[in-house]
Amino acid sequence: MMLHKVLGTVLLLGVLAGCTAPLRVCETDADCPGGGVCDPERKLCFSASAEGGACEPACASYQACTLSNVCVPRYTGLEVTPLGGTVVGAGPVSVQARLLVGTGFAENFPGTLNFSVVASDGGTGGTLGAVTASAGVYTTQWTPAGEGEFLLTAAHPEAGVPSTTVRLAVDTTGPAFVVFVPPADAGVSDGGTTYADPEPGFATAWRRDQVVPVEIRTNEPNLDPSTVMVTLRTDAGTAPAMSVTSFAESQSCDAGFCGLAQVNLWVPTFNAFRGPMNLEVQGADKVGNTGTSSGSVNVTRWKWRHDITGATITAAPVLGNTGVVYVGTTNGSDNDGQLLALSPSGRLLWSASGGAVVASPTVGNVQDGGTERIYVAHKKGSVIRVGFYDNSDGGFTAPCTDVNSGSVSVQSSLAFAQVSAASSSETVYGVYTGRGGGTLFAVRPDAESDPLFQCPIVPSVGDVSAPGTMLAAGNAVVFGTSSGALKSFALNSSGVWPAAAQWTQPLSPLKPTSLAAADGVVFGGGNDGSNSKLFEVPLSGVLAPTYFPTSAQMWNVSIGGLPGANAVVGLDTGKLFVLDAADGGALAIDTPGDIIKGAPVWGAGGYVYTAGAISGAIQARQPLENVAWQFEPGSLIEASMNLDCSRLSDGGVSSGMPGVLYAASRDGRVYALVVDSPGLNPSAPWPKYQHDSRNTGNPATPITSCP
């Protein structure tokens, strides 16, 4: 009996010993397996779930008494947010501390925690608000004393443990940005072409059609790069903000952050030929402090100028199917000159000294192999040659017999059509003035080799003098004679001219200048001093002309404008005469001190471009009576201007880009200017001299479309 009792006692002690034996030696709770806790005094592990002993002396409220009668920490940690190392703003900043309870222990959360804050240098830390508590989470508001580093402490209200201190940085200043705009490399003048804007201060200006790589730099250590944006502004408009991308690692950067914004200069409205555009940079740091900076970029519409030595230009330049600019010149006496081919970038491709070019050339359709024909009438000495150039090599072909006469010339424009008479072939019309009472000719290179079919002529049609123009309509051609008549001829089914005109409408005493067509009606300007009139005649010729007096000599007409079409022509009295083609209403717009001889150019986007024959001023109008900007080249411009899309290096159309306006001055200079119209206005019935950029004078020719 006694032995059994002793054994029972021994066994009980063994069990108790097994319950209270330390698990292992430890330094922290992490050294204890199975969720055990480390007694910080004895450095021994005990079961964390063994709360419920009778500890003497009693444990502190932040401790738990285990079944082994040992006081151990009740809380496994005290987490404080913001975390150490966090950057915060000026405040108030929400501060939160969370007590983490060991597994199996009662929560026993205190009513509050003690919060304190000091500057890292020992200075004032700011103010703390009242503490609120909820299930072991304690919250207060901290208003920092200013910028700098601070030490924030959260502690159990009983002395000593547990407590946690975090180091926080306060940032109240927005980022400071430096904006750098590199100078543009306009290119070196070459072969007579000047690329840099000659205006002082604008030699390194960026063009309106370029993308500027704007550099943004800052030493803000807490920058949020995703917030950095660049906005381009002018006095007339603002472009959408653009994001900034960081420099690649391979690029040098002497600041904490270096970014690059690709700024499209053609986006905001810019009512100037040249001038500054403003750049605004804005960004924020990671705590929401914003910073701004500004810069500017000089912008010009100057693209290039090509100088032709000893040349006079009165004929309108013509554009090829891939944007090549063909310019005819004379020597001033109209008995010598050349044709030049300039690339859209201003490079001289070729030139041919075939003789004076007074009649504006025209360009045919794209041939097999991508070539095109440039149809020209030359006069060299007393010899007149009519034919075409092959754009691939500048070689000239003259299928027509030369005319040798000092009194004969081809003065007005040529007109182009694809005529089905005898065979479908390119057909170009013109008139030999001073030959046989005015001789109408057609050039048809693809017709039979017999000159009768390649170059059919008909005499006694009446002379056509500059700046007269011709219209091609179907198989017919319409032109006005210097004796005061409007006539139409059509090749017959064999491809030759009949002796008589299809129709004739007398205009006497008016002498037609240029012609344009809209909705089956021909509009023309007639010069007869103070009795000059604008007239309209049905393209069928079945009705007599209707006249609209202008009381002044007029020049080249074009038709455009919405909602109704307006025929617009320059007058010698320094006005633009505007006729509403729908209802016959008219108005005059002053062009003070200048005469608009070239046909106004109707561009996409509602712009109309004019050039002065007195001042040479090129003006962009929107609407017609308002001058948005102007450029004064210092040379008078008589020839009508041309307008094209922006072109790629291979001649393809560049999508979404501004257009290029080409102007040729009388003193032999060709200007390329960046304009806000991506090409001609496709809804205008007759948007420029001879209808389209190829100067075909044919309403069936599509207007160049710029995507």
Side-chain angles (χ1 to χ4, degrees):
M1 182 69 177
M2 181 62 70
L3 180 61
H4 181 268
K5 187 173 182 179
V6 170
L7 286 174
T9 302
V10 172
L11 289 172
L12 177 60
L13 290 173
V15 171
L16 292 174
C19 292
T20 59
L23 298 173
R24 63 172 62 183
V25 176
C26 62
E27 293 292 335
T28 67
D29 291 347
D31 298 327
C32 300
V37 294
C38 183
D39 184 335
E41 294 183 359
R42 289 180 285 178
K43 306 297 185 183
L44 297 175
C45 291
F46 292 91
S47 171
S49 60
E51 184 175 8
C55 295
E56 291 292 339
C59 298
S61 63
Y62 52 82
Q63 294 177 319
C65 182
T66 66
L67 293 175
S68 58
N69 297 327
V70 176
C71 292
V72 298
R74 181 177 301 280
Y75 309 110
T76 60
L78 177 59
E79 292 182 348
V80 176
T81 55
L83 300 175
T86 300
V87 179
V88 298
V93 179
S94 179
V95 177
Q96 189 177 86
R98 178 187 296 272
L99 281 169
L100 304 178
V101 181
T103 303
F105 292 167
E107 293 178 338
N108 198 24
F109 293 127
T112 188
L113 293 182
N114 293 335
F115 289 89
S116 63
V117 61
V118 295
S120 61
D121 61 2
T124 302
T127 60
L128 291 163
V131 179
T132 61
S134 175
V137 178
Y138 303 85
T139 304
T140 185
Q141 296 288 322
W142 169 44
T143 302
E147 283 194 320
E149 288 194 342
F150 295 85
L151 301 176
L152 186 144
T153 301
H156 194 281
E158 296 186 47
V161 289
S163 71
T164 298
T165 298
V166 294
R167 183 181 294 269
L168 303 174
V170 177
D171 185 355
T172 63
T173 305
F177 298 102
V178 176
V179 182
F180 174 70
V181 179
D185 181 9
V188 179
S189 299
D190 179 54
T193 302
T194 300
Y195 294 100
D197 189 334
E199 180 73 8
F202 283 84
T204 58
W206 290 85
R207 290 199 317 266
R208 171 74 161 156
D209 61 352
Q210 289 183 312
V211 178
V212 183
V214 177
E215 296 180 16
I216 312 298
R217 302 182 182 224
T218 181
N219 282 316
E220 170 59 54
N222 302 312
L223 182 73
D224 181 355
S226 67
T227 66
V228 183
M229 305 293 285
V230 177
T231 303
L232 186 65
R233 298 183 188 276
T234 70
D235 291 341
T238 301
M242 290 157 283
S243 60
V244 176
T245 51
S246 300
F247 277 170
E249 292 182 2
S250 61
Q251 295 177 285
S252 62
C253 178
D254 57 2
F257 170 83
C258 294
L260 199 66
Q262 300 292 345
V263 180
N264 300 334
L265 294 179
W266 63 86
V267 176
T269 302
F270 185 52
N271 290 333
F273 180 78
R274 56 171 72 90
M277 289 187 181
N278 297 319
L279 293 163
E280 295 181 4
V281 179
Q282 185 174 29
D285 58 25
K286 294 175 182 177
V287 295
N289 299 310
T290 60
T292 61
S293 187
S294 62
S296 66
V297 52
N298 276 343
V299 179
T300 180
R301 295 181 183 274
W302 177 285
K303 192 173 180 71
W304 51 260
R305 184 192 71 213
H306 185 82
D307 297 343
I308 309 170
T309 304
T312 298
I313 303 175
T314 57
V318 62
L319 300 179
N321 293 280
T322 58
V324 174
V325 187
Y326 301 105
V327 183
T329 75
T330 84
N331 60 355
S333 299
D334 294 345
N335 58 14
D336 201 2
Q338 58 182 324
L339 184 77
L340 299 91
L342 302 171
S343 73
S345 64
R347 183 169 57 91
L348 178 63
L349 301 175
W350 52 263
S351 63
S353 301
V357 180
V358 177
S360 296
T362 187
V363 174
N365 296 323
V366 177
Q367 302 288 309
D368 291 341
T371 62
E372 63 189 7
R373 295 164 174 159
I374 307 95
Y375 292 90
V376 181
H378 275 303
K379 185 169 186 177
K380 196 170 185 72
S382 61
V383 177
I384 299 174
R385 306 189 75 197
V386 176
F388 62 89
Y389 287 91
D390 184 319
N391 71 310
S392 62
D393 57 11
F396 185 71
T397 300
C400 303
T401 303
D402 294 347
V403 177
N404 192 342
S405 172
S407 62
V408 177
S409 62
V410 179
Q411 297 187 18
S412 71
S413 64
L414 305 179
F416 173 88
Q418 190 83 18
V419 176
S420 59
S423 63
S424 179
S425 64
E426 292 192 344
T427 301
V428 172
Y429 304 106
V431 171
Y432 293 110
T433 292
R435 177 188 181 188
T439 298
L440 177 64
F441 65 82
V443 181
R444 312 189 73 215
D446 300 320
E448 298 179 38
S449 58
D450 187 333
L452 175 66
F453 300 104
Q454 284 194 326
C455 298
I457 60 174
V458 57
S460 303
V461 301
D463 288 334
V464 179
S465 302
T469 54
M470 309 187 78
L471 274 64
N475 283 7
V477 62
V478 179
F479 56 93
T481 69
S482 55
S483 60
L486 194 65
K487 296 185 177 183
S488 174
F489 281 79
L491 293 168
N492 63 26
S493 60
S494 299
V496 297
W497 297 110
Q502 284 193 123
W503 54 263
T504 299
Q505 284 290 351
L507 300 171
S508 183
L510 296 181
K511 299 175 181 179
T513 51
S514 67
L515 304 177
D519 297 326
V521 177
V522 177
F523 293 84
N527 288 333
D528 188 34
S530 61
N531 294 321
S532 293
K533 301 176 179 67
L534 190 68
F535 63 85
E536 63 177 45
V537 177
L539 192 55
S540 62
V542 297
L543 297 176
T546 301
Y547 297 100
F548 305 92
T550 60
S551 300
Q553 182 174 344
M554 66 187 67
W555 296 93
N556 293 287
V557 65
S558 62
I559 306 173
L562 294 173
N566 294 317
V568 183
V569 62
L571 305 180
D572 265 358
T573 52
K575 296 180 184 296
L576 282 174
F577 182 78
V578 184
L579 173 70
D580 189 315
D583 61 18
L587 62 89
I589 298 173
D590 288 333
T591 57
D594 225 330
I595 298 174
I596 310 300
K597 290 188 176 181
V601 179
W602 299 79
Y607 288 91
V608 183
Y609 304 95
T610 59
I614 302 298
S615 70
I618 297 171
Q619 296 180 328
R621 299 168 173 271
Q622 189 194 49
L624 188 61
E625 61 272 15
N626 176 63
V627 177
W629 58 262
Q630 74 175 28
F631 165 60
E632 298 178 3
S635 303
L636 63 89
I637 297 174
E638 293 184 358
S640 293
M641 298 185 293
N642 214 327
L643 178 60
D644 195 20
C645 310
S646 182
R647 297 282 178 171
L648 301 170
S649 58
D650 62 358
V653 174
S654 185
S655 178
M657 297 287 288
V660 182
L661 183 70
Y662 295 101
S665 66
R666 187 174 176 84
D667 61 357
R669 296 182 171 188
V670 182
Y671 295 87
L673 310 177
V674 180
V675 296
D676 298 328
S677 298
L680 296 168
N681 186 342
S683 64
W686 198 276
K688 62 171 290 293
Y689 177 83
Q690 286 300 89
H691 180 262
D692 50 80
S693 60
R694 288 164 46 202
N695 289 1
T696 67
N698 191 331
T701 302
I703 301 298
T704 302
S705 178
C706 305

